[in-house]
Amino acid sequence: QVQLVASGGGLVQVGGSLRLSCAASGSIFSIDPMGWYRQAPGKERELVAAISNGGSTYYVDSVKGRFTISRDNAKNTLYLQMNSLKSEDTAMYHCAAVPVQGAWGQGTQVTVSS
């Protein structure tokens, strides 16, 4: 099973930007579609964005126009460019297949301070 490790999170001020990366231990071509999920304390996990091998994308309404998902199958990496960050974007972010298959990989914490 391909292992997924997210990175790129950190502490940023409101209005700032971060770029998350998700590195896979093997080919991600078969993970179709692939997405970013997040979970904030006391809230349910939600699918933030997803992308298919064909380039079709999905975004939850709250991030439309601010986040951009992309994938590089040659590098076995998924990305999430996050701009105009808001305090409500604070959460642990994970990458995974859509729908999720197997255990969660390592996530990355995003904290947006006001």
Side-chain angles (χ1 to χ4, degrees):
Q1 187 175 1
V2 175
Q3 303 299 314
L4 301 172
V5 177
S7 63
L11 175 63
V12 64
Q13 291 188 331
V14 170
S17 298
L18 284 173
R19 188 192 194 203
L20 305 186
S21 297
C22 172
S25 61
S27 174
I28 64 171
F29 182 80
S30 62
I31 306 177
D32 188 24
M34 199 168 180
W36 286 95
Y37 298 78
R38 69 184 179 188
Q39 186 169 22
K43 295 187 177 181
E44 293 188 357
R45 182 176 282 119
E46 68 173 345
L47 176 63
V48 176
I51 186 168
S52 70
N53 279 329
S56 297
T57 56
Y58 159 84
Y59 297 96
V60 69
D61 285 347
S62 60
V63 308
K64 284 180 179 177
R66 301 188 297 121
F67 290 11
T68 302
I69 189 171
S70 61
R71 64 190 292 166
D72 187 337
N73 288 354
K75 295 182 178 180
N76 295 320
T77 305
L78 180 73
Y79 303 98
L80 185 67
Q81 178 67 43
M82 306 188 297
N83 299 327
S84 303
L85 283 162
K86 304 177 179 181
S87 57
E88 51 263 44
D89 295 319
T90 295
M92 179 67 75
Y93 286 71
H94 286 87
C95 54
V98 180
V100 176
Q101 300 173 14
W104 290 100
Q106 178 180 310
T108 188
Q109 176 68 38
V110 172
T111 303
V112 185
S113 65
S114 57

